[in-house]
Amino acid sequence: MWVIISAIIFFVLLYTVVPYFLSRGLGVKVFKRGRDLSKVAFTFDDGPNPIYTPILLDLLKENNVKATFFVVGTKVEKYPELIQRMHNEGHLLGIHNYLHHSNWFMSPWRVRKGLDDTAKVIEAITGVTPIYYRPPWGMLNLFDFVRKGTYKIILWSIMAEDWRTSGGSEKIKHRLAKIKGGDVILLHDCGDTFGAEMDAPRNTINALKDVLKTVKTKGFTCVRVDELLEKL
């Protein structure tokens, strides 16, 4: 019995914790920050959202900022007009799973199907096949980590913990005051996922009104993730 239990524990750790440590801790097989210290990349997860995504897109357009959106497949199907707008306004679209579920609790086949289904929906709307992928919570499983494929895994180098409303926009501005050249910045334009709060993106957008100006004052150019990857 103990042999079976030990084998199960070993497999679970191998499937979840080991790839998490290698990717999040050591940056193996993933992209977390760029080498061009004159550029930073703002990225937004969990959308699109019918309330907050349009407001965010207006703000980005006003500041001439191109960003990267890691979108959820079911929401892409529900709000295709927002996906089309992102594409038309020059933003990069990446995949954040078909459903906002952790890869730790899905089989490799289900993860792959969700990726491919989401890619097909985005391609049908924009005419472009997405190749960038950020798993929810940055949780890779063993098969994500070792497999070769068309998807490039993007994590982040700085986050603002903006999925909760506590601390308001001041907390977000304080955390983003630490932005450095080459950073990939993790933010959210939707708050309806597990552990998040529905109105949290309001604080993110309010904070960005100041943060985007500060970033430009420091001499950074805001670019899409694929532009940060160019010099690697």
Side-chain angles (χ1 to χ4, degrees), residues 10-68:
F10 175 78
F11 177 77
V12 169
L13 292 175
L14 186 64
Y15 192 74
T16 60
V17 177
V18 171
Y20 184 86
F21 171 75
L22 292 173
S23 59
R24 287 285 295 276
L26 301 180
V28 178
K29 297 269 188 163
V30 299
F31 176 72
K32 296 174 66 176
R33 63 177 296 115
R35 294 178 182 174
D36 189 335
L37 302 184
S38 68
K39 298 177 180 178
V40 297
F42 283 90
T43 68
F44 299 92
D45 288 6
D46 297 358
N49 176 274
I51 298 174
Y52 294 112
T53 302
I55 300 172
L56 174 60
L57 289 171
D58 289 343
L59 179 63
L60 295 176
K61 187 174 183 179
E62 178 184 333
N63 287 272
N64 194 30
V65 169
K66 298 297 185 288
T68 302

Side-chain angles (χ1 to χ4, degrees), residues 88-175:
N88 290 347
E89 295 182 2
H91 302 293
L92 180 66
L93 284 155
I95 301 171
H96 199 47
N97 279 1
Y98 184 73
L99 295 166
H100 196 282
H101 292 169
S102 170
N103 291 14
W104 286 10
F105 303 107
M106 293 192 289
S107 70
W109 300 277
R110 186 179 175 194
V111 172
R112 183 69 189 206
K113 185 178 186 304
L115 277 166
D116 292 343
D117 287 348
T118 305
K120 289 175 183 176
V121 176
I122 293 173
E123 183 179 11
I125 297 169
T126 67
V128 177
T129 304
I131 62 171
Y132 299 100
Y133 172 51
R134 174 178 287 162
W137 300 289
M139 293 178 174
L140 296 170
N141 64 44
L142 177 65
F143 291 91
D144 297 323
F145 189 75
V146 301
R147 76 175 176 216
K148 295 180 180 179
T150 57
Y151 302 108
K152 298 179 181 179
I153 300 171
I154 310 296
L155 296 185
W156 59 87
S157 57
I158 184 171
M159 70 166 69
E161 297 185 6
D162 65 328
W163 54 86
R164 307 286 292 181
T165 58
S166 61
S169 60
E170 290 303 316
K171 177 191 74 173
I172 297 169
K173 287 191 282 188
H174 175 71
R175 291 184 180 276

Side-chain angles (χ1 to χ4, degrees), residues 206-217:
N206 287 334
L208 281 175
K209 292 175 182 177
D210 291 329
V211 170
L212 292 178
K213 294 176 182 177
T214 301
V215 164
K216 290 185 178 181
T217 300

Side-chain angles (χ1 to χ4, degrees), residues 168-195:
S169 60
E170 290 303 316
K171 177 191 74 173
I172 297 169
K173 287 191 282 188
H174 175 71
R175 291 184 180 276
L176 296 187
K178 302 174 183 178
I179 290 174
K180 302 183 293 295
D183 270 336
V184 176
I185 303 136
L186 169 62
L187 295 167
H188 299 79
D189 61 327
C190 185
D192 66 358
T193 56
F194 178 77

